[in-house]
Amino acid sequence: FFLQFVFHTYTTAFTLINGNGTPKAEGYSLQQKQIFLGLGAISYSACIGALPLAFANRYALKSSLMQLFVKKLLPAPLLGLMNAFTVAMVRSPEFDNGIEVMDRNGKVIGVSKKAGEKAVMETALSRAVLFGTTFFLPEVLMYFVQRARFVKNPRALGPVRMFVIMSVLAGMLPVSFSMFPQCGEIKRADLEPEILTSTEETEFFYNRGI
């Protein structure tokens, strides 16, 4: 639980810093709200992330198949889903209050909740792919490494596993960031009617955040 808590604290702080800065609120501190949402998301994600191992230990699951599923395969998709969840929670003011949309020349046309929702969902999906793949693929690779006995010294498995994880992470970072452009695009038909009254543009752009 502690390691999960530390990990989700880092990713949540990263999300807070690199979100879209448009949302403003009156009558309460938006930053304070995001911090409370972040703390809730961190605690929930850490509990869910630690649940498979706690379940396996609590009920003494000895089957090799169950051990493989609970300890090796299940944590990766859970980690991806929980990272998407924390992004959606922390950046929820962006689809509650909207973000700025611009024309081709960079002129701000208005503030759109639909653009905010699109930006948050794209970022959440890219984060889920990044961490889900980063922690799932090394487990698969390490399974074949151990099965083929490429590493004969059991003590060397730890450093090899860490090297594989770092290599996959380094490869997945540019893939994740390039899934959706930093400057997102949204069609005229997808925006709120009140924004469209002041312009005849057909394509609009927004800062997605990372």
Side-chain angles (χ1 to χ4, degrees), residues 65-181:
L65 181 61
M66 288 299 297
Q67 289 285 324
L68 175 65
F69 176 73
V70 173
K71 292 187 176 182
K72 303 295 184 181
L73 301 181
L74 185 58
L78 273 182
L79 192 66
L81 287 173
M82 289 302 100
N83 270 277
F85 171 74
T86 55
V87 170
M89 287 291 291
V90 172
R91 292 181 56 179
S92 61
E94 293 180 29
F95 51 77
D96 287 339
N97 302 333
I99 61 174
E100 291 178 346
V101 290
M102 301 159 284
D103 61 15
R104 291 184 178 275
N105 300 317
K107 179 184 176 183
V108 177
I109 303 300
V111 176
S112 169
K113 293 183 179 180
K114 291 184 178 180
E117 181 179 348
K118 190 170 185 286
V120 174
M121 292 302 104
E122 288 175 347
T123 306
L125 179 58
S126 68
R127 197 72 59 82
V129 169
L130 169 62
F131 289 111
T133 305
T134 298
F135 286 92
F136 177 76
L137 190 56
E139 293 296 342
V140 176
L141 294 175
M142 287 303 298
Y143 171 78
F144 286 109
V145 167
Q146 291 176 271
R147 188 180 180 87
R149 300 184 184 277
F150 289 135
V151 180
K152 296 182 179 180
N153 186 353
R155 294 183 179 180
L157 286 175
V160 170
R161 184 187 300 275
M162 185 59 64
F163 173 77
V164 171
I165 291 174
M166 295 303 296
S167 299
V168 174
L169 178 60
M172 283 304 301
L173 276 172
V175 173
S176 172
F177 289 155
S178 63
M179 283 181 63
F180 303 100

